Amino acid sequence: MENKEAGTPPPIPSREGRLQPTLLLATLSAAFGSAFQYGYNLSVVNTVFKSFYNETYFERHATFMDGKLMLLLWSCTVSMFPLGGLLGSLIVGLLVDSCGRKGTLLINNIFAIVPAILMGVSKVAKAFELIIFSRVVLGVCAGISYSALPMYLGELAPKNLRGLLGTMTEVFVIVGVFLAQIFSLQVILGNPEGWPVLLALTGVPALLQLLTLPFFPESPRYSLIQKGDEAAARQALRRLRGHMDLEAEVEDMRAEAQTERTEGHLSVLRLCALRSLRWQLLSIIVLMAGQQLSGINAINYYADTIYASAGVEAAYSQYVTVGSGVVNIVMTLTSAVLVERLGRRRLLLAGYGICGSACLVLTVVLLFQNKVSELSYLGIICVFAYIAGHSIGPSPVPSVVRTEIFLQSSRRAAFMVDGAVHWLTNFIVGFLFPSVQEAIGAYSFIIFAGICLLTAVYIYVVIPETKGKTFVEINRIFAKRNRVKLPEEKKEETIDAGPRTLSPAKETLF
């Protein structure tokens, strides 16, 4: 017993983290420069007028495009963004390991500033090809930031603020979408004269990040666990926490570093084959696929039709869209506040419950609104309810969970898989939904309701609550579900087996 106590020092009580100025400003700098421009670019493509493509083509060939060629070019413009995102998600692992989390975000600004300039001059150059090419590069930028930013914020945050900071990725994406909707109004920049400026504005957040982020620290977990530089990690922690009581957090990093030395640095192939990470990997795949396949893009696609059926004139539907953006921001901020109080599971389950219910009611509305005209107003309520439900759970919370359920050794490979699933499903929905909608019409929302239900069941059965737990503690919970023993547990059993051969072995939790 004495040997065991001597070899296992009592855990050091951790001090509750606070949102210190350095941590707050680092979060704002990183999130505004990365997530904001991602959301802005996600929305602003709708304002690139097809007439520019047609006019440019006419100047070159003295004839206008036919409908098929216009559809092809427009489809390329839209689909190049998620394809670029897929490419970015595949290279982010190499970048975050070689350049660090902060270094990756800084380098990534190149992929935002260059296409912003190209799109800004595309009208003067009379080259719509610059827009299509820029959408690919912007997709790469979004793919990198979508993985690197949550990783950086999750590793900066103390465990009691990890949920709040983790949702900041989605908060700033939504703010970017909302401001794009504002700037896209015809009275502002959504007109033939203003759209080049609208597209060029995407480079402003990246430029601000280049000027501010270098003054903030690198991820302390990256410094200690991957670089072995404990002095740099402690210095970063002192700036981020605002106090000197760091031993509990440093000890937690040492434990994670020990696990990494035991497991080694994981590649994507090894991650997929490793039994000890089976349920974690499946969980992020389900969360990311559920986020994209639950119908959010379909709701956006159908929104104008639903507004028109309720009597909203086309000139005013853009203002209703701005109203839905306000709902999106308010509910995402609500999620950021509640995620550390109610936990991750409750928000995810509530969000998918609301989304699934809204899809079912919307199916009924779309089928019978021609017979009962009053149902069209219920359709608008369903759209806003769906957006509220998605904003409180399925949109922001997966960014938190995917950071928490992997240790440093597997996080890089996990985020590559996570990003690939996110962008691939995004592309599939954008590519297939118009055809599905044309084939089965309103019944497509029943499919989305079913996906919401299946995702919610998986979350309820498989994904544990991670609120307030360290990365190592969460790893132990999943070790039990994967039916494996962690290295320290095996070592402890070996130590116990020697001097206590006459006593029955004490059953461990796992």
Side-chain angles (χ1 to χ4, degrees), residues 80-157:
M80 287 302 103
F81 189 75
L83 285 181
L86 177 61
L87 177 60
S89 69
L90 296 178
I91 65 174
V92 68
L94 176 64
L95 289 173
V96 294
D97 268 1
S98 58
C99 305
R101 280 53 167 157
K102 186 180 79 170
T104 298
L105 292 175
L106 290 172
I107 293 172
N108 194 37
N109 288 311
I110 298 172
F111 297 109
I113 294 174
V114 171
I117 296 172
L118 294 178
M119 289 190 298
V121 302
S122 59
K123 185 176 181 180
V124 176
K126 298 180 180 180
F128 55 75
E129 294 86 355
L130 290 178
I131 295 177
I132 298 175
F133 172 75
S134 297
R135 293 287 294 174
V136 179
V137 181
L138 285 171
V140 173
C141 176
I144 293 173
S145 63
Y146 185 77
S147 294
L149 178 61
M151 197 182 301
Y152 180 59
L153 296 181
E155 293 177 7
L156 289 186

Side-chain angles (χ1 to χ4, degrees), residues 93-94 96-97 151 265-267 408 410-416:
L94 176 64
V96 294
D97 268 1
M151 197 182 301
H265 216 57
L266 299 183
S267 64
Q408 200 84 5
S410 54
R411 194 170 292 137
R412 175 192 71 123
F415 270 62
M416 291 174 68

